[in-house]
Amino acid sequence: MAEIANQIQADVPEVTVHSATLASPGYLEIVLDRLPASTPVYPLFTSDGWFVTNALPRRLGSRANSIMPPMGIDPDLPQAVAQHLHDALNARGWHAGDTELVVAAHGSGRSRNPAVAAQRFADALQTLAGFAKINVGYVEQEPSIADAARHCGSQAMCLPFFACAGGHVQDDIPMALTEASFKGDTLPVLGLLPSVTSLIARRILEHSIPTAGG
């Protein structure tokens, strides 16, 4: 999280960027209490699921901080990722039309929003990039990542639809790809892609600095 915040900070020197994780009890509140009440919160999540719509507002309590739309539903996210995938394909000497892509997402047992966000992202990405096929698989619901990756050939890539390289990315995704005998390459998570951190920086700047006449 701190690494991603530093990358965003480099793109938006006009604004001071802080980071906090909901997994640390009380830490978000400590950070916010040191900042002006007008400080917006950018959810580094891939959907507007339970954590963004329930857990985060509950943690904010009576604070007046606004909550920005999360990373995963940003309408420009597919274009930012398509830019990175274009470079990744060129580096391998591959063409998108001959390459399969597996989008490995979290999913959820308590909200449809994570799966909806992942599928919308994949559909928009396919329109932009034109892969031979894009399959979406999930950690917490069907179809599984293993099922999504099972019949891919060697010219394939797996894109973790996650904000940070936590346990799901380090453990669950590799296990699923091994189960599927996936022979392709696994790409970095979204939050570490320079094109995505630049997009987040732009959103933060737009939110923090009013436009002329606004």
Side-chain angles (χ1 to χ4, degrees):
M1 179 75 75
E3 178 184 353
I4 294 171
N6 288 337
Q7 289 185 31
I8 296 169
Q9 179 70 80
D11 280 333
V12 61
E14 303 93 330
V15 178
T16 301
V17 179
H18 302 265
S19 64
T21 171
L22 294 180
S24 256
Y27 186 63
L28 172 64
E29 293 83 347
I30 291 172
V31 172
L32 289 176
D33 286 344
R34 296 171 180 165
L35 302 172
S38 59
T39 303
V41 176
Y42 183 90
L44 196 65
F45 285 86
T46 50
S47 79
D48 52 350
W50 183 84
F51 279 103
V52 173
T53 59
N54 290 271
L56 180 55
R58 188 159 52 241
R59 292 283 293 271
L60 291 182
S62 61
R63 293 174 180 82
N65 307 83
S66 61
I67 300 176
M68 299 174 61
M71 175 190 72
I73 64 171
D74 191 305
D76 290 336
L77 179 66
Q79 181 62 62
V81 176
Q83 175 185 329
H84 174 80
L85 292 177
H86 176 75
D87 295 340
L89 288 166
N90 283 344
R92 292 163 174 78
W94 294 353
H95 296 287
D98 302 319
T99 305
E100 296 173 280
L101 182 70
V102 175
V103 174
H106 189 279
S108 173
R110 46 181 149 184
S111 171
R112 293 182 62 254
N113 292 358
V116 169
Q119 189 61 57
R120 284 178 178 168
F121 166 81
D123 291 344
L125 189 62
Q126 178 66 334
T127 299
L128 292 166
F131 281 91
K133 181 187 290 187
I134 296 182
N135 292 329
V136 184
Y138 304 97
V139 172
E140 289 198 356
Q141 65 182 83
E142 299 295 330
S144 69
I145 295 169
D147 287 341
R150 197 174 307 280
H151 301 297
C152 291
S154 58
Q155 188 166 319
M157 297 189 293
C158 176
L159 175 68
F161 190 68
F162 286 81
C164 301
H168 290 308
V169 173
Q170 296 174 7
D171 301 322
D172 294 334
I173 292 177
M175 287 174 58
L177 295 180
T178 298
E179 178 187 338
S181 300
F182 183 74
K183 300 178 179 63
D185 297 338
T186 302
L187 302 170
V189 296
L190 301 187
L192 293 176
L193 303 183
S195 57
V196 173
T197 55
S198 293
L199 172 62
I200 296 171
R202 188 165 76 248
R203 292 292 181 250
I204 291 173
L205 189 61
E206 291 169 353
H207 190 89
S208 302
I209 300 178
T211 58

